[in-house]
Structure formats: structure tokens, C-alpha cells
Amino acid sequence: MKFTDGFWLMRDGVRASYATEVRDVRATADRFTAYASVKRVQRRGDTLNSALITVDCFSPAEGVIGVRVTHHAGRRHRGPDFELPGADTEGAAGRVQRDGSVTELVSGPLTLRLDTAAPWALTFLGEDGRELTSAGHRGTGFATTGDGSHHTLAQLALGVGENVYGLGERFTPYVKNGQVVDMWQADGGTSSEQAYKNIPFYLSSRGYGVFVNHPGKVSFEVGSESVGQVQFSVEDQTLEYYVVAGPSPKDVLSRYTALTGRAALPPAWSFGLWLTTSFTTSYDEETVTSFVDGMAERGIPLTVFHFDCFWMREYQWSDFEWDPEVFPDPAGMLARLKERGLRICLWINPYIAQKSALFDEAAEKGYLVRTADGDIWQWDLWQAGMGLVDFTNPEACTWFQSKLKVLLDQGVDGFKTDFGERIPTDVVWHDGSDPERMHNYYTQLYNRTVFELLEKERGQGEAVLFARSATAGGQQFPVHWGGDCWASFEAMAESLRGGLSLGLSGFGFWSHDIGGFEGTPDPEVFKRWLAFGLLSSHSRLHGSSSYRVPWAFGDEAVDVARQFTLLKHRLMPYLYGAAVEAHRTGVPMMRPMLLEFPQDPTCRALDRQYMLGPDLLVAPVFTAEGDVEYYLPAGTWTHLLTGETVTGPVWRSEKHGFDSLPLYVREGAVLPLGADDQRPDGDWLEGLTLRVHPADSPAYEAEVTVPDHTGAPAATYRVVREGEVLRVTAHGSDRAFRVEVPGGASVEGAGEVVLRLG
């Protein structure tokens, strides 16, 4: 939200007050509170009829410093609040040191400095003493507007050339500088400024992050009001934000996700190919069986089959009952599908249509959100007369889970938790939550309710969602997908931008609808999207009004689908290792180039390519003709499919067929490849190949760990170069493995293997 009219004036009706000078500092061993006047105090009378801003400074975790700005402290706090599982409940992870007029709060590599003898400024310093950012002139304050609303605000300085990323899954330009970004959940598709996943966290190219600890509407002006500042404001008397230290972007994400919650590790089977019925298409068991048969006949391994909305009866979403006219024997059908090795996913949403038998049941028990007058809140948008499950009521959560458990008992393995964005603000919640704060936060309660049921019934490590909406902390309940996109190259590119932004917002796993959701893609779009989709964290064929079976788009589409599905399965020892890293550190599987190459200025704006795990560079092709432009950072890169080597840094312009795309292995990598290309959750050590890309150095050493299906190490392989010899030693396994290098040289053995180069 903008408050100023240019640099000198305020907008009509706006009155702003900013911290100007420190009047007092009260410190303990681990935190301090500063009291700032909003004008220069030259005499005693200046302390009257004027505001005093209270600024609490504390550390909830090492390398994280929190700042709480308060104007009037007497407002009743109604919640909800973000749960911060990694926070010190006392906010005591820092230490205060004072030297004359300077007070500092130190937390790990991060320092906050306040000089009471100087004009107001909160200065954040890195481990090397370098200034990361600061809240200086107009950096801390509040403003009232003509309609009487009160906003607390902060501004943090942007350095020359500094880029801002993240703020959730945003489909607008990848670098957020110059944008106005409001944290407000909306079902807006992928081609607008609206977002399904609003995360009030941004990451800076200077090696720090900022998390605004407010679940409601946070308005960000990213160099768009004051061009040298990131401003964020809330309509509240208090604003709390955390500065998160690096120094690298990976370090920032690791600290941020440790604070807000790390992602659960999805089951290995979820990384296989998902096929759906699509949305409004006509389908029954015969249709589903024909799809499954068609994939098998064409040699395209299928892992998950998903039933979208119309598995339930029209006008009755959600009643969690199969349409008896279309699916008269759901338990038998699911058993038949599972006999073929398939996992099953069902579409659900948190709305209860009036025609559903569950509406009366939920209404009687008080499980639906109500208006201030005590009526059940209803509207006809999406489902006729629908109500909204009140997940602030623990009994409603248990009730909702009980309906889903029936489906799990039938053989369902996971749920697509759709919607959760259009949450009203003119309602009363069971626990008294503030409706404005609950609008964005609702999705956290919804997804958590379903995820916890899956963990309880299937066991830890077997739970997986396909979720659309999320807020901060939502990364704990994977997987998330990019929502409703068009079937076009432009939508394919905007989907990738959204996924990269979400990854820089703490989410480790992300997917999208291969071929696009709305409309029917041209075969060229579908085939290019197949390669992109199968080189993503999770891979799903899904559409709206038309099927996404590959043969609907020609024989070549079948070949492309088969090729990249088999490739993904062979890559699973590597990919699941990257998944384990995302689970343990918060570094996403699909990594913006910035994460792996933060010192390369060219990588800071790249939004049409990414690293899949630490060692694979993927540049999707966004043209029918196959023209693609991409960048390779410094080092020697080897094309995974062709073996071609290229030395970077270099920009490349190429033309690729539908069976290819820029897919390069990084110098120094040890890429583990499985032998089983028929399933994602096979025995990864059986017939394992280690493809070594040694750095051109006599001191080259590398190590790679192949996990088991729980994420624990199954075997670790250490590679050492000794002149023209590679020595590979296995730890934790005595099974045979193959070692090969680009160019064809290879050797097989167990325990320790020696390969001569050249």
C-alpha cells in the first residue's frame, strides 16, 4: 500500500508518523526494547501530545533477528498466528552488547545495531560486518488514512543492484523489484498478479531474507513507492518482521524453513507419473481402465491415477461419496486398479454443498462457519448453497477426517486438496479468530487436517497431498501444484516463474499441469511441456475439459512421454537424494540458478531454466520450432542425453527436437542412475550406475549418497582422483555397481572400483 505522493508529499487523507530519535533503550541479556519519538525532542514540552513507537528486538533462532513495531499495545489479539516450530519460545537466541551509545543484538552471524546518538536507524550487519540492510529515515512508523484505518509499516533499504525474490508462488516477473505485492489468497489462475500461495517472505540477492510474521494481508512495495526501499505494511497496531541471515541464499532458506517448518519427505512412489480423469470430461470405470490400458500398451509406466471432482455427484461437493450411477462398485474398482500397481488420489475441497447430506449434519453440529448473526455463511460461487468447514473447531477437523478415512479404507492413497483461497471475512470463527487474519491462514488448517490423517493412517513418509493453496509454513505438507494455467507456451513459462518463486519462499516440492489446464494444447505445446513436467519434482497429466492421455496428441507425444518417464525413473536415486536434502535443509528440488551460483550476476535474473537438484541444469523449450536460449555458468557441462561437453560461462542458442532439451550435468558431479526404468520406487542399488564427471583437477574428490525409501542412507560412494585414475569406494553396501565417465569408459565391481581415465 502506498502512503506517499512522490518523495515530498503524503497522499490525500494520509497522516504518517515515523521513528525519529531514540528516547530510551531497555536491555536484558538477550533482547532490547527501544522507544522512539516521532519528532525531534528539543524541550520537555515536545514529549506531550505526540506518539511514542515501541520497538522490541529479539532473536527467535540463531541467525534470525525479530523486530516488533508497536504503536498502541492495547488492541486485543485474536489470532491466528503462524506456528514457528523452530523458534525459541522465549525469543532468547541472541545476546545484547552495549558500548556507549551503541546497542547491538547478536545472533549467530547476524547483528542488529542501534545508535542512540544518531538519527533513528536499525542496521543489520552480516558476519563480516558488511551492512545487509537497514530501517532508517521513514523505516519504522505508522500511518492513518482518510477512512480511519491504521497501518503499521517498515522500510528496509535496497542496495545498488540488489534483487528481491519470493513472496510466494507469483506468476508476475521473477525478480520482484518494482512490483506491488499484496499477501491475499485468491483463485486467480496463473496469468495475473493474484496468487494461490501468498508467503510474506522475500529473499535478497545480498544474502539475507525477510519474513513478515503476520498471517493476514501484508502489502509489499518492492522498490515501487520508495525506489530504494522494500516497504511492507499491515492494517494493525503492531508489525513484526524477522531478518534472516545467510550468507548464501541456501543458508537463508535453511534458517527460514527451520523456523517455519521443514517439508515432510514425500513417498518415493509419488515421484512417478500421475494421470488424471481431467476435470469436466466424461468418465467412468471403463474410461479409466482404457486410460490405464493405453499407457501400458504404449510402454509408458504409470504410478498414480487421480479422480477429479466428478467422482462425486453433481451439486454435492463435497459429500465424499462416489457417484453410484457412474461408479457402482468403487471398492472393487480401486482394488482392480491397485492390483495393477497403481496408487489412487481423489479430489476434495473444504466446501459442503447444500445438497450434500453432510451439510445438515455439519450445520447441526456447528462445524460450518457462521455469520455475525449466527447464520451459516453460504454462497453459490462454485457449489450451490455451499458452506465452509470451520477448521478452527477441533471437532470439525475430526469429523472431516472421519469422512476421508472411509475413502482411505477403500484403498485411496492421497488427496488433491483443491481450493482454500476464497475465504470470507464477514464471518465468525469457532475459536474467535480475526477473519482478516484467517483469510490467508485457512489453507494451513485445511491442508494440515488432511495431511495429519494420511500420516496417521498410512504412516510417516507415506503421506502426500496435491495442494493448491498455501501460506507460510505450508511447505510442511507437500506436494503443491501451480493451479489453473492455460494450454500455451506463455502459461508454461509463467508456471515455471511461479514455481521458482515458490522455491525461494521455502517450498521444496512443486508440480504443474502438464499441457496446461484450460483449453486443449497444441501437440507442440504438449510435447514440450512433457519434458518440462517430467523433469520437475512431481509430474502430473491433467486438464480441464479435455483428456491429457499422450496418444490424444499423436504418436510422437507417446514417444516423448515414454522417453522422459523412463528417464525420470532412472534418475530416482539422484532425485530422491535431492528430495531428502529438501526435507532436511529446506533447499528446494527445483532450484533457481541463483541458489547454486549466487556469485554469478547472470544467474540472478534467469527464470526460464533451473537446477534440478544440485547437479542437473534444465532449460525447458518454450517454442514449437525448438528454439531455446539458455546460460551455462563457469565450468564444464555435459549434456546428459548426448554426451556433448560445453565450457561455460556461455550463452547458447540452439534448436531441439521434441525428444530433447538442454539437460546438462555439472562438472564435478557424481550422478547415480538406477537400472529400473519401470517404476520410481524400485531397488535403486540394483544395477546402480555412477556417472562421474570429474573436475579437471588432480585433487578432485566427491561423494554421493543414495538413500533408501525412508530417506536414510542406503549407500555412500566416495570418489577420489589419483592422477589418471578414479578410485570409487562404497560404504554401507557390498552390492556391485558400475562407474562410468563421459566418453564411454566404464568398469563394474563391488566395494572399491578403479577406473583409468583417458
Side-chain angles (χ1 to χ4, degrees):
M1 181 175 181
K2 292 181 172 66
F3 301 102
T4 59
D5 178 7
F7 184 75
W8 307 108
L9 305 176
M10 303 304 294
R11 296 199 167 201
D12 288 345
V14 173
R15 298 183 62 184
S17 299
Y18 302 101
T20 301
E21 66 177 24
V22 181
R23 300 303 300 167
D24 190 17
V25 175
R26 298 179 181 176
T28 64
D30 51 43
R31 62 193 302 150
F32 70 85
T33 299
Y35 298 89
S37 62
V38 297
K39 64 181 181 180
R40 295 285 295 172
V41 178
Q42 298 177 325
R43 58 186 65 86
R44 286 184 171 180
D46 293 337
T47 64
L48 304 176
N49 305 310
S50 182
L52 190 69
I53 299 176
T54 304
V55 182
D56 296 300
C57 302
F58 56 96
S59 176
E62 183 178 298
V64 181
I65 290 180
V67 176
R68 184 183 303 113
V69 180
T70 303
H71 180 203
H72 290 157
R75 182 177 179 182
R76 180 169 61 96
H77 182 74
R78 298 168 60 192
D81 297 292
F82 289 127
E83 294 181 359
L84 303 178
D88 183 315
T89 56
E90 302 298 323
R95 57 183 174 83
V96 171
Q97 54 193 34
R98 306 186 75 171
D99 184 5
S101 63
V102 174
T103 301
E104 291 184 337
L105 175 61
V106 181
S107 179
L110 185 63
T111 297
L112 169 59
R113 176 178 294 166
L114 175 66
D115 188 348
T116 60
W120 172 265
L122 296 172
T123 303
F124 296 89
L125 308 173
E127 192 169 30
D128 58 0
R130 177 176 62 97
E131 181 176 323
L132 300 175
T133 188
S134 63
H137 177 64
R138 293 184 173 180
T140 307
F142 63 90
T144 57
T145 60
D147 62 2
S149 60
H150 180 286
H151 304 260
T152 307
L153 61 92
Q155 288 187 352
L156 292 177
L158 288 171
V160 175
E162 181 177 356
N163 289 342
V164 171
Y165 310 90
L167 296 174
E169 182 191 50
R170 314 214 79 85
F171 308 104
T172 54
Y174 167 62
V175 177
K176 300 303 181 287
N177 297 53
Q179 297 183 44
V180 178
V181 182
D182 288 334
M183 299 291 106
W184 196 248
Q185 307 286 64
D187 177 5
T190 68
S191 57
S192 76
E193 83 287 355
Q194 296 180 358
Y196 304 103
K197 308 170 188 69
N198 289 271
I199 317 298
F201 169 81
Y202 68 83
L203 187 146
S204 164
S205 61
R206 287 172 66 89
Y208 69 92
V210 176
F211 171 51
V212 180
N213 188 20
H214 190 287
K217 185 174 183 179
V218 184
S219 181
F220 286 86
E221 299 282 346
V222 188
S224 49
E225 179 173 16
S226 178
V227 297
Q229 310 282 327
V230 176
Q231 176 177 283
F232 38 93
S233 60
V234 297
E235 188 176 344
D236 204 338
Q237 294 285 341
T238 298
L239 169 66
E240 182 172 294
Y241 65 91
Y242 300 158
V243 175
V244 183
S248 75
K250 285 184 181 179
D251 293 328
V252 175
L253 287 182
S254 182
R255 295 183 196 278
Y256 168 71
T257 55
L259 181 68
T260 58
R262 294 265 167 79
L265 180 64
W269 57 260
S270 72
F271 290 81
L273 181 60
W274 299 45
L275 175 64
T276 86
T277 58
S278 291
F279 171 30
T280 60
T281 54
S282 178
Y283 54 85
D284 54 16
E285 183 176 357
E286 182 179 357
T287 312
V288 171
T289 302
S290 73
F291 288 170
V292 174
D293 288 342
M295 298 291 279
E297 291 164 2
R298 292 166 176 83
I300 306 173
L302 185 64
T303 304
V304 182
F305 195 88
H306 168 74
F307 291 84
D308 218 53
C309 315
F310 281 96
W311 68 273
M312 290 181 281
R313 289 163 288 190
E314 63 182 26
Y315 293 114
Q316 294 188 202
W317 306 340
S318 294
D319 62 4
F320 307 117
E321 293 184 1
W322 294 84
D323 185 336
E325 294 185 5
V326 181
F327 300 105
D329 180 23
M333 177 183 65
L334 296 186
R336 289 185 283 274
L337 291 173
K338 294 180 79 68
E339 285 173 0
R340 304 185 65 166
L342 292 171
R343 302 285 183 153
I344 305 299
C345 177
L346 292 185
W347 177 95
I348 62 171
N349 68 193
Y351 312 137
I352 308 295
Q354 185 170 291
K355 188 172 182 286
S356 166
L358 298 187
F359 185 90
D360 290 340
E361 181 181 338
E364 179 183 352
K365 295 182 176 182
Y367 296 162
L368 299 178
V369 177
R370 294 184 177 271
T371 68
D373 294 331
D375 299 326
I376 293 173
W377 176 89
Q378 291 179 270
W379 68 7
D380 294 328
L381 188 60
W382 184 243
Q383 287 293 284
M386 58 171 253
L388 181 66
V389 177
D390 188 343
F391 291 112
T392 73
N393 183 343
E395 292 183 3
C397 296
T398 301
W399 172 82
F400 194 80
Q401 290 174 330
S402 71
K403 306 304 178 184
L404 299 182
K405 184 179 181 302
V406 174
L407 299 167
L408 295 180
D409 292 342
Q410 288 180 346
V412 172
D413 297 284
F415 294 105
K416 172 183 171 182
T417 48
D418 206 353
F419 289 85
E421 304 95 359
R422 293 173 177 167
I423 306 304
T425 56
D426 55 344
V427 294
V428 175
W429 294 91
H430 172 81
D431 70 348
S433 285
D434 181 336
E436 190 267 349
R437 295 171 70 95
M438 183 55 72
H439 173 84
N440 289 347
Y441 195 73
Y442 182 85
T443 177
Q444 185 77 350
L445 303 180
Y446 167 37
N447 284 316
R448 183 174 66 194
T449 297
V450 181
F451 195 86
E452 288 181 347
L453 171 70
L454 287 166
E455 281 199 324
K456 177 182 177 182
E457 295 298 317
R458 292 290 184 261
Q460 191 171 22
E462 281 296 310
V464 65
L465 305 179
F466 221 81
R468 189 172 75 175
S469 57
T471 187
Q475 68 269 6
Q476 298 172 83
F477 317 123
V479 171
H480 294 81
W481 104 97
D484 299 346
C485 52
W486 289 96
S488 68
F489 284 119
E490 293 77 13
M492 181 177 160
E494 67 201 22
S495 293
L496 176 55
R497 286 198 301 275
L500 296 180
S501 290
L502 189 66
L504 291 178
S505 305
F507 284 68
F509 306 97
W510 176 80
S511 187
H512 44 96
D513 291 340
I514 294 175
F517 177 71
E518 292 289 354
T520 300
D522 293 333
E524 292 79 9
V525 171
F526 183 74
K527 287 179 284 190
R528 298 294 184 195
W529 211 317
L530 275 169
F532 168 40
L534 284 158
L535 289 168
S536 298
S537 155
H538 287 72
S539 310
R540 184 179 76 154
L541 293 162
H542 182 62
S544 178
S545 57
S546 56
Y547 303 128
R548 291 291 180 270
V549 289
W551 53 92
F553 302 92
D555 292 341
E556 189 173 29
V558 171
D559 294 339
V560 173
R562 181 191 310 111
Q563 174 190 342
F564 285 99
T565 302
L566 300 183
L567 175 63
K568 187 173 189 184
H569 289 172
R570 288 210 64 203
L571 284 169
M572 275 303 296
Y574 167 77
L575 294 176
Y576 210 60
V580 171
E581 185 179 357
H583 162 63
R584 291 179 178 166
T585 71
V587 177
M589 284 190 68
M590 296 177 67
R591 305 176 183 183
M593 299 297 293
L594 166 78
L595 279 183
E596 289 296 333
F597 304 94
Q599 302 307 317
D600 187 336
T602 302
C603 290
R604 295 172 191 164
L606 298 179
D607 63 359
R608 296 194 301 275
Q609 63 184 73
Y610 55 93
M611 298 295 293
L612 182 58
D615 296 320
L616 277 183
L617 184 149
V618 183
V621 179
F622 298 101
T623 64
E625 299 78 16
D627 297 311
V628 59
E629 184 179 54
Y630 63 97
Y631 174 75
L632 295 174
T636 299
W637 297 81
T638 304
H639 197 285
L640 181 63
L641 304 180
T642 68
E644 177 190 7
T645 60
V646 181
T647 300
V650 62
W651 278 96
R652 303 262 292 180
S653 296
E654 298 172 349
K655 186 182 291 288
H656 284 259
F658 293 109
D659 61 348
S660 180
L661 78 168
L663 178 59
Y664 283 90
V665 185
R666 186 178 186 174
E667 180 180 5
V670 180
L671 190 69
L673 298 169
D676 186 355
D677 60 9
Q678 294 302 302
R679 54 186 296 175
D681 54 350
D683 182 351
W684 297 328
L685 294 185
E686 179 65 32
L688 179 73
T689 295
L690 302 177
R691 188 170 294 178
V692 183
H693 299 258
D696 187 17
S697 166
Y700 169 71
E701 294 185 11
E703 188 174 276
V704 66
T705 296
V706 176
D708 64 19
H709 292 174
T710 71
T716 298
Y717 302 87
R718 187 167 183 266
V719 183
V720 178
R721 181 170 185 169
E722 301 169 351
E724 292 304 303
V725 169
L726 281 181
R727 189 177 303 277
V728 184
T729 307
H731 299 275
S733 171
D734 57 3
R735 299 171 69 177
F737 60 95
R738 175 179 294 275
V739 177
E740 61 184 37
V741 295
S746 66
V747 65
E748 187 172 349
E752 184 170 275
V753 171
V754 176
L755 175 66
R756 184 166 296 278
L757 301 172

